Every structure is written in structure tokens, then in C-alpha cells.
Amino acid sequence: MSAVHVPAPAPQATPQEIPLRKTPKSSEAGRAQSRGGRRALGILAVVLAVLWVFPIYWMINSAFLPLNKLQTPDPTFFPLGGTLSNFRRVLDDPTFWAAMRISLAVVVIVLVAALIFAFLAALAVSRFRFRGRKGFILTILVVQMIPAEGLFISQYQMLDGWNLVNKVAGLALVYTAAILPFTIWMLRGFVAGVPIELEEAGMVDGLSRTAAFFRITFPLLAPGLVAAGVYGFLQAWNEYTLALVVMTDPTQRTLPLWLQGLVESNRATDWGVVMAGSALIAIPVIVFFLFVQNKMTSGLVAGAVKG
Amino acid sequence: MAASAPALQQDDVAVAFPRRRRRKLGVYGLLVPAAVLMGVALGYPLIRQFVISFQEYGLRQQFGQPAEWVGLQNYTDLLTDPYVWAVIGRSIAFCLVNAAVTMLIGIAFAVLMSRIGTASRITLQVSLLLAWGTPVLASMTVWQWLFDSQYGVINWVLSNVFGIDSMAGHSWIIQPLSFYFVATVIVVWMSVPFVAFSVYAGLLQVPEETMEAAQLDGASSRQRFWNITMPMIRPVLSIVLLLQVIWDLKVFTQIYVLQRAGAPTRETNLLGTLIYSYAKEFSLAGALATIMLVLTLALTGFYIRQMLKEDEL
């Protein structure tokens, strides 16, 4: 929801309020026209919003519909007289819970490892100056440009050599490495955003540097760590390609692989169950996402505008 | 990478903090875990794949036979195969079309958001966020259902609302061109929110005074948009475009899932899925992945250089 709190943009409203020297029409007519235009644009925006959200609405709608309402010549647009049986079938499926366990295990390992390692690295590059600092920053910038899909064959071979294929630890290893660069970028911004003077003040009052850091700066970094954590959660929870390559054993599926399996066994037979499965995987993610996305876009753009 | 931007300015202040020599080794200690992990799981595979691309490395080598050096053999094999060129061409076309369409719609949405009332803006933003936040696989399944030939709502709308009778029971993914159309719709649907939000955040940072000054000088709203707003948000646009090109060139999941839904694989392969199909011939996969990396750098190199020049890290 956070994106919604972005301050309202005034610029487009103001121009019409200043009478232009060279405007042919009277300022009043111009204002009326702009108000009408604004309303038309507003309606256009709502239409586009409905269009964009329709697939998600359709997922939820279909998830509540029984088979005989899905396979009809005319689609059912509202889940009136709907059923929970699709959801029940997914929740009663032991393979769903097995995939859930694998996904949760991977996500927890990835989050803990990525947050600790990225935090230490972010601390180093934003609080100290040392030989190789620029090189390190440049490396994590460039690493993000490497098409990960080009690496998966050799990553598979590497994990295979260490007997880590089809293992939670193996998948967690490649995931952690994949999200570390962006997580370091993100945390680096947050660490640099806490003024060093606060720590210095603590040290003047007799704290050691480490104590000053943990008692003063660390608590201020909590929002950054939460944002980075949610980012990592989303990546690890949603990832499909590497999981497809690494987790080849059907009993070791993560949730996205499980969903693809569900689609392939139910295609053209029962879309309701597939939609219920999709919705169950998507809803927790959407909730987390709405919660964090503001931090991610504002971090992306802040300072990137010339002014 | 973009999250760095805010840090850049504060950095100089932060690093000016007095440091003591004996702490120096400790600093590297902080970097070691992250550096080792990235080195092992990203750096090593990258180098290994590069090395293998100059070797003969297939199934036999996987079972212990030593790999032979074959020089550029794998590259010449690939680059003399007209099919590989066709896939490279398709990938570039797919990437450019998708990046362009995503950018245009995304920018249009951002400009729209900056010109409408709060209520309609929030409606549009929430809708985009929902599309953005949905996991790729969940989105893919919904889109397959929407485009389903028999009971899909898209065919129903086209045949019953727009009266195109031939669309009833139409299969979208059998023909390559229509397959890419579906893939484009899905990729654009997923990518537009990111572009729209980033550009909108950029638009908010354009100082109002500048716009007012230009207006007083008699600049029309079109002139203000093209001569002031666009140049000012150019850095945002280039970051976003760069990311779109990188992402759209290596697109895999969407194509792979649609292929599994019953599309002819050979006619619809892009680079990502072609590399995946070489899973048993590591050296070819390695060579093609290297070609893809070079292609990415060729398409984005100019931008990367420019961004590096502007950011002083």
C-alpha cells in the first residue's frame, strides 16, 4: 500500500492557475477545459486499472467456481454460489504441503544468510574506505547485469559435483548468491543514510565504536533490514528457473515447481484447482509486496533525477 | 544497482570518518562472507562455463572422461547453424519490441498518474501493484487460463462481444507469431508496473519552480514535457530501459511455461530456452551462454558506460 503515500503531484494542476500572457483563450475557459480533461483522464485511469487487475480478479473468481461453471460456453463473471472445494482440494494435497516445507526452508536459509552477509558487506563499503572498495562496488554492479539464465548449466554442474542437487542447501546457496548483490546495494544506501555523527556522539559519551554502532546505528537500520528481507523473501519464494534446474526430483519441488506440475496434470480438465493453487501461493506474496514496494522504488529513483 | 543512487552523495561524508590502521584488516573480514559466497556460486560457474565453451564436454565427460580442448569449435558450430541465428534474431526482436512497448506504456501510465486526481491515481496504483506482486508462475497459470482455447475468457470476449466468430476455440500458442504475441502481452503486463512506478517517482522529483518558470516564458505544455520533463527524468529512463533490455533478452520462464502448454518448441525457442535445451551438451550451452552475455553487453554497453561515467561510485 505504501506507494499510495507518495505525496500528491501538484505540478499539472498549477499551470492553469497562473494566467498566461500569450494564451488565446480566457483563463477561465482554459481552467474549465482542464478540469474536464482531468476528469476524462481519471476515468481512463480507472478503466486501465480494471483492465490491468482483471487477470488477478479472474484467478480469484475462477478459484471459487465449481467445474460445471468453468467449463461452460459463457464464462461466469462473479463467483456467486461459489465453492471452497477447489481450495480444499489443494489444502488436502500432501504434495502442496511438501512443496511448502521445501519453499519455507529455502526462504529461511536464504534470508538469514543473505541479510547477515549483505549487512556486513554494506557496512564495510559505506563506513570504511579501503583498497579495493571501488572494485567491489563495481563488481556487484556488473554482477547484476549478467544474465542468470546463462549460468544455470554450470551452476547445476557445480552443485552436482558437491552432491547438492535436489538439496535445499544447494538451492539456497545459488539463491543467496543471486540476491546478495542487490541486497548489498540496498543496505548500503540505508547504512549511509544514518549520520555517522550519531555514532560519534555516542563515542564521545564513552561508548566503544562497536557498542556505539550496535546501540545507536543498528536500531535505525531496522526498516532497511526489513525491506531487504522482504525483497529476499519475494525472490526466493517466486523463483522458478533455478529451481527447475536444481530440484529435478519431484519430491523436492518448491512451490512454483509444484504449481507448474499442478497445471500440467490439470490442464483443460480443472482450472479451478489450478487457480486456487495459484491464489494460495500469490496472496501471501502480494501482501508482503504491497508492504515493501515503496522502499524499493524510492530507493531506485532517489537521486537519479538531475535537478 | 539503483538503490545505490541515494548512497552516492552521502558516501563521501560517511567514509571521512576517522579510521585506525589496525581496523583495516577487520574491514576485509566484513567483506569476506559475501565475497566468498558470490565468488563460489556466481563467479566460479561463470568462469567454468566460459572455459567449458572451449572444450568438448558432453555426457561422456560427465561420467569422468577428460574434456578435450577444441578451441573455437563450439562457437563455430553454433554460429554456422542458421537455426541459432534465427533464434538470436528472434530474441533480439522480442527483446526490443517488449522493452519498447513496456517503456511506452509505462511512461504513459506514469504521466497519467501525475495528471489525475488522488482517487483514480490510487486505483491505478493498487491495480499495478497487484500485477507486479503476483509470483511469475501464478501469473503464468492465470494467463494460460485466460488464453485457453476452449473456455478462455479472451476467446469468449473476441467471439461474443466483438463478434469475431473465428476466435471461438482459437488456439493462441500454435502459431509462432501468435505465440510471441501472447508472450509479449504477459511480459508487458508484468513489467509495466515497475516502469510506471519508477518513472512516476522520477516525475515527482522534477522541481515545480522550473516548470513554472518555463511556463512564464511561454513554453507550451508539450514543449515543457519534451524539453524539461523528459531531459530531467532521463537518468531514470535509462536505468529502467537498461533493466528492461537485460530482462527481456534473457526471458525464460514465460517462454518455457508457454511451450510446456503445447506450443511447438523449435519454432518458439528464444535464447534462454535454447540454452536450456542444450542441457546435455554443456559445451554448447556454455558457448551459447557466452554469446548471450556478449549480446547483452553489446545491447547495453553504451548505457552501462554512460551510467558509470555519471555515477562516481
Side-chain angles (χ1 to χ4, degrees):
Chain A
M1 278 304 136
S2 25
V4 169
H5 299 307
V6 175
Q12 290 313 320
T14 37
Q16 300 303 335
E17 279 150 30
I18 307 159
L20 283 184
R21 262 175 292 168
K22 290 176 185 167
T23 333
K25 28 182 162 130
S26 80
S27 71
E28 203 166 305
R31 204 177 300 160
Q33 196 187 30
S34 113
R35 213 178 295 141
R38 227 175 110 121
R39 195 165 301 146
L41 285 178
I43 293 168
L44 174 69
V46 173
V47 170
L48 289 171
V50 170
L51 202 67
W52 226 258
V53 88
F54 182 77
I56 292 160
Y57 170 74
W58 203 243
M59 168 173 81
I60 292 162
N61 178 42
S62 305
F64 283 110
L65 290 175
L67 197 56
N68 61 7
K69 286 202 175 170
L70 288 171
Q71 303 196 340
T72 50
D74 291 324
T76 310
F77 282 90
F78 302 99
L80 300 172
T83 165
L84 288 173
S85 69
N86 292 327
F87 288 102
R88 213 167 290 132
R89 271 182 60 193
V90 172
L91 295 175
D92 286 344
D93 180 355
T95 63
F96 172 75
W97 294 106
M100 175 74 86
R101 268 195 299 278
I102 302 265
S103 272
L104 283 178
V106 171
V107 164
V108 168
I109 298 175
V110 168
L111 274 190
V112 172
L115 280 184
I116 294 176
F117 295 171
F119 176 67
L120 295 178
L123 210 59
V125 293
S126 56
R127 281 286 194 255
F128 300 91
R129 174 154 291 180
F130 54 90
R131 193 184 298 267
R133 175 175 165 275
K134 272 194 178 184
F136 183 79
I137 297 174
L138 196 67
T139 309
I140 54 177
L141 183 100
V142 172
V143 158
Q144 291 174 71
M145 300 183 175
I146 296 172
E149 274 71 3
L151 285 184
F152 54 38
I153 302 286
S154 44
Q155 282 177 326
Y156 173 84
Q157 277 189 293
M158 179 185 79
L159 293 179
D160 196 31
W162 297 340
N163 271 326
L164 284 176
V165 166
N166 284 318
K167 299 271 167 49
V168 166
L171 191 61
L173 173 68
V174 284
Y175 277 7
T176 308
I179 68 167
L180 263 179
F182 188 79
T183 313
I184 296 174
W185 266 130
M186 209 164 158
L187 287 178
R188 177 175 172 262
F190 281 106
V191 175
V194 176
I196 193 76
E197 288 77 14
L198 287 179
E199 262 176 66
E200 287 173 327
M203 287 160 74
V204 168
D205 289 345
L207 289 173
S208 72
R209 182 163 190 188
T210 315
F213 177 78
F214 277 103
R215 310 242 312 247
I216 297 169
T217 307
F218 192 73
L220 293 173
L221 289 176
L225 286 169
V226 170
V230 178
Y231 166 79
F233 167 79
L234 292 174
Q235 296 298 309
W237 184 265
N238 293 350
E239 207 281 338
Y240 178 72
T241 312
L242 271 171
L244 178 71
V245 173
V246 175
M247 304 304 241
T248 48
D249 178 351
T251 63
Q252 299 296 315
R253 284 177 174 163
T254 59
L255 281 171
L257 293 177
W258 169 85
L259 182 61
Q260 177 65 11
L262 186 72
V263 176
E264 289 180 5
S265 55
N266 283 294
R267 188 193 312 284
T269 53
D270 197 347
W271 282 103
V273 171
V274 174
M275 289 302 115
S278 305
L280 284 173
I281 294 177
I283 288 165
V285 177
I286 291 177
V287 171
F288 271 111
F289 189 77
L290 293 176
F291 170 68
V292 77
Q293 81 76 33
N294 184 35
K295 287 205 174 65
M296 284 163 57
T297 32
S298 60
L300 173 78
V301 172
V305 167
K306 286 181 179 169
Chain B
M1 82 187 150
S4 63
L8 291 175
Q9 297 126 346
Q10 296 140 350
D11 224 28
D12 297 331
V13 185
V15 288
F17 187 79
R19 54 220 128 81
R20 273 162 273 173
R21 193 146 294 175
R22 65 188 171 83
R23 298 224 176 250
K24 281 232 160 168
L25 281 177
V27 176
Y28 293 109
L30 294 176
L31 283 177
V32 162
V36 166
L37 204 84
M38 289 193 290
V40 166
L42 290 175
Y44 170 71
L46 185 70
I47 292 164
R48 187 187 160 103
Q49 163 217 291
F50 188 68
V51 170
I52 281 179
S53 74
F54 296 103
Q55 293 177 332
E56 169 69 44
Y57 198 106
L59 267 187
R60 253 181 303 151
Q61 279 69 27
Q62 252 194 298
F63 291 105
Q65 293 233 358
E68 259 172 66
W69 290 94
V70 294
L72 290 171
Q73 185 66 43
N74 295 313
Y75 290 91
T76 47
D77 280 356
L78 286 172
L79 294 177
T80 50
D81 184 350
Y83 178 67
V84 172
W85 281 105
V87 172
I88 292 177
R90 274 181 218 162
S91 296
I92 294 176
F94 185 85
C95 161
L96 295 181
V97 168
N98 275 269
V101 173
T102 308
M103 288 300 289
L104 284 178
I105 299 181
I107 294 170
F109 275 25
V111 173
L112 184 64
M113 281 192 238
S114 70
R115 299 196 179 189
I116 55 182
T118 317
S120 38
R121 195 188 74 242
I122 290 177
T123 312
L124 184 57
Q125 284 177 329
V126 169
S127 154
L128 291 179
L129 277 182
L130 289 174
W132 190 4
T134 308
V136 176
L137 249 286
S139 314
M140 286 309 299
T141 56
V142 183
W143 279 103
Q144 287 178 62
W145 169 223
L146 289 168
F147 275 108
D148 186 62
S149 57
Q150 221 179 340
Y151 302 113
V153 71
I154 290 177
N155 279 353
W156 182 84
V157 168
L158 289 175
S159 63
N160 290 34
V161 179
F162 292 98
I164 312 167
D165 288 333
S166 60
M167 294 312 285
H170 175 75
S171 174
W172 286 86
I173 54 174
I174 295 294
Q175 294 294 323
L177 213 57
S178 140
F179 173 94
Y180 290 126
F181 173 76
V182 172
T184 301
V185 168
I186 300 175
V187 169
V188 167
W189 179 78
M190 288 178 190
S191 326
V192 157
F194 167 73
V195 178
F197 278 105
S198 306
V199 176
Y200 177 64
L203 287 175
L204 290 184
Q205 295 187 0
V206 175
E208 229 171 282
E209 298 80 22
T210 320
M211 298 303 275
E212 279 169 24
Q215 184 161 32
L216 288 175
D217 289 341
S220 72
S221 69
R222 178 168 305 187
Q223 282 173 322
R224 289 199 303 272
F225 181 76
W226 287 110
N227 297 331
I228 298 174
T229 311
M230 287 309 260
M232 278 188 143
I233 62 168
R234 214 204 58 200
V236 179
L237 295 181
S238 30
I239 293 176
V240 173
L241 178 64
L242 175 76
L243 289 173
Q244 291 305 321
V245 169
I246 291 175
W247 289 338
D248 290 342
L249 189 67
K250 66 174 201 180
V251 58
F252 173 83
T253 308
Q254 290 89 340
I255 304 293
Y256 177 80
V257 171
L258 282 180
Q259 286 182 338
R260 298 286 299 226
T265 312
R266 198 177 152 80
E267 283 78 37
T268 55
N269 264 339
L270 294 184
L271 277 171
T273 48
L274 186 60
I275 292 177
Y276 182 77
S277 75
Y278 286 149
K280 295 280 180 284
E281 301 149 284
F282 289 121
S283 36
L284 280 187
L288 191 55
T290 309
I291 293 174
M292 185 166 157
L293 229 159
V294 171
L295 204 63
T296 312
L297 289 175
L299 283 176
T300 58
F302 174 72
Y303 266 129
I304 295 174
R305 238 198 340 261
Q306 213 172 18
M307 279 167 52
L308 287 182
K309 236 182 269 170
E310 283 168 13
D311 279 9
E312 68 277 11
L313 293 177

